[in-house]
Amino acid sequence: MSPRSRVAVDLDGTGLDGLGQHHLACALSDLYGQPRHLVKETNLFFATDTVLGLLPHSPVLILTRAPIGIASSFARGRLWDRWRYGERYAQVAATARSPRRREEFGPLLPQDNPEEAVALGRLIAVNTLLLARAVHRDLAGCGRDCTVVSYEQHVSDRVAVLAGLARQLKIALPAADPSRPAEALAATVSADATFATTGHRDELVAELDARAAELVVHHTAVTMARAREVFDAQVTATAAEWLAGDELYEVRQPPARRRTSVRTLPPAQSIPAFAYCPVKRVSWRNLLVTNVEMADLLTMLHAAGAPNSRLGTNLLVCPMPHERGGRLHFDAGRRVWRVSPGYESHPAYWVTWAGAAAMAAWLGARLPTRAEALEATAGARAYNCDYAVGDASSVAEPGRSPHQVHHLVGNLQIWCGDGPDQPVAEPVQRYLFGAAWNTPGSEEAIGAVRSRYLLGSSRGVGVRLVRDSRTTATSGLGAWELANRLNRWIDTLEGGTGRPLGELDRLLTSALARPDES
């Protein structure tokens, strides 16, 4: 909606209500602001040009992999079913038949109900063609920097590839921590390991049955042959170069697996009773806020007239599908929030600052300041970071007593109660602090200054509560009062056209502050 502006100038006609417009304006300001962001997208297909258009001056890094290697990963993680790629194929094939695309793409994606390996080969080829065409257009237009790294290159010389990427991004390569081997950590916790990167490969092996391997390779090649009849020769040559490398893999029959349900439940785990532990000048709650607690709050607020989602815009949490890391789900029939079975004792993530602050107000606590977090975690080592496990683990950290703070650093980053000074025209931001399962755990990374807008959320950020002499269990706000405060703010947004973003955000931070801070 706003390819070149820092903030969308005019959102009229977008169909968004006050909250939706405010959220989009704040998100765009965050995306184009400082410090710089890395935006990772996988399998963009026909959205490729749109995404690159949103970031016209940004360098691009393209990570490629040979089709047979992609197919091996899909088979090992059962990703075709888990991530509903059958539906994705139908969607992309239908888009390929739109009037402006059917001549080029219609023949590449037949609507013939293909089996998994056939459809995967076609999708791999089409996605690569779209990326190659977009890059060639950019080189002819804005001339953005583009770097291409293949997975096969990374396996053969990992150190050199990572060093090259660090130079390209102008960052220092984080040092490994040999004192806590990632494999040993992964063995101590239970979590979805789809995104774990602890196993560094030194050989190229595709665990596929011979027929599936042959189908993927064949239909990728057939799709490319058809593309050469309608695409520019430079585009198809580039795509073919990025798709190369099948011959480098050794194809092995996949190991036999026990028949299990698509969703494997982690074992139930008991957790200590919630308690507050003195750490420096304030008391920190021993456990991160759990999914069960967040579901209870969301259900109470919904009953009090403050639903999480307003015409598609999320206020407190982002309810992602379970397969994409979502653990909180709204049951519209019963009007209650539920937790993915087996994840009740795991920490809540995909939580906005508004959701974190509402939780603190409900439980008679507050969010720590960045200074308090720095002081409390001085010298602490991160537990569960650097993709060692592939997801957040239980809020109970092995080896810690109920009277100690679990995951003082690591598992999830946390929202802070304060943030950087911003001009009144800019959205208010709040600091994020610490290390998460999907971020580096070095001392430098833990203390790095980072912040986000109030309605932002991610899979690596959760909620830690603290108390001081002015926050106790008796100072908590009831769900009805919280719902009233949230709804009054949203009503203000409906009539707040023309008011500065920062002014509107400060109304929210004041509404969720404890009485002596408002």
Side-chain angles (χ1 to χ4, degrees), residues 275-293:
Y276 284 83
C277 311
V279 181
K280 304 297 183 181
R281 291 173 293 177
V282 296
S283 293
W284 286 59
R285 205 179 83 155
N286 58 344
L287 303 178
L288 292 163
V289 168
T290 66
N291 285 317
V292 164
E293 291 177 284

Side-chain angles (χ1 to χ4, degrees), residues 442-490:
S442 65
E443 183 177 352
E444 179 184 18
I446 291 169
V449 179
R450 60 180 76 83
S451 60
R452 288 204 77 185
Y453 65 107
L454 303 183
L455 300 184
S457 63
S458 83
R459 195 174 172 180
V461 178
V463 188
R464 172 78 72 182
L465 304 178
V466 300
R467 281 181 177 165
D468 54 28
S469 59
R470 293 172 294 181
T471 48
T472 65
T474 59
S475 66
L477 296 177
W480 289 95
E481 175 62 23
L482 270 175
N484 184 44
R485 295 187 183 198
L486 291 169
N487 286 335
R488 283 205 307 263
W489 180 67
I490 292 172

Side-chain angles (χ1 to χ4, degrees), residues 48 100 144 152 188 223 330 358 403 420 464 498:
T48 302
R100 66 191 184 96
R144 78 167 84 230
E152 293 76 24
T188 68
T223 305
F330 183 61
H403 307 294
R464 172 78 72 182

Side-chain angles (χ1 to χ4, degrees), residues 327-345:
R327 309 297 182 229
L328 295 164
H329 315 282
F330 183 61
D331 183 338
R334 301 188 63 184
R335 298 186 179 184
V336 297
W337 282 80
R338 299 192 180 281
V339 179
S340 293
Y343 290 87
E344 293 83 356
S345 66

Side-chain angles (χ1 to χ4, degrees), residues 424-436:
V424 70
E426 299 292 335
V428 169
Q429 296 201 346
R430 287 293 180 253
Y431 290 124
L432 306 174
F433 183 84

Side-chain angles (χ1 to χ4, degrees), residues 66-72 74 115-125 208-223 246:
I68 204 169
I70 296 174
S72 176
F74 265 72
E115 60 180 287
E116 176 182 331
V118 175
L120 183 58
R122 292 171 180 171
L123 288 175
I124 290 169
L208 286 171
D209 65 71
R211 181 176 178 276
E214 183 180 348
L215 285 174
V216 169
V217 172
H218 174 72
H219 285 277
T220 303
V222 168
T223 305
D246 284 331

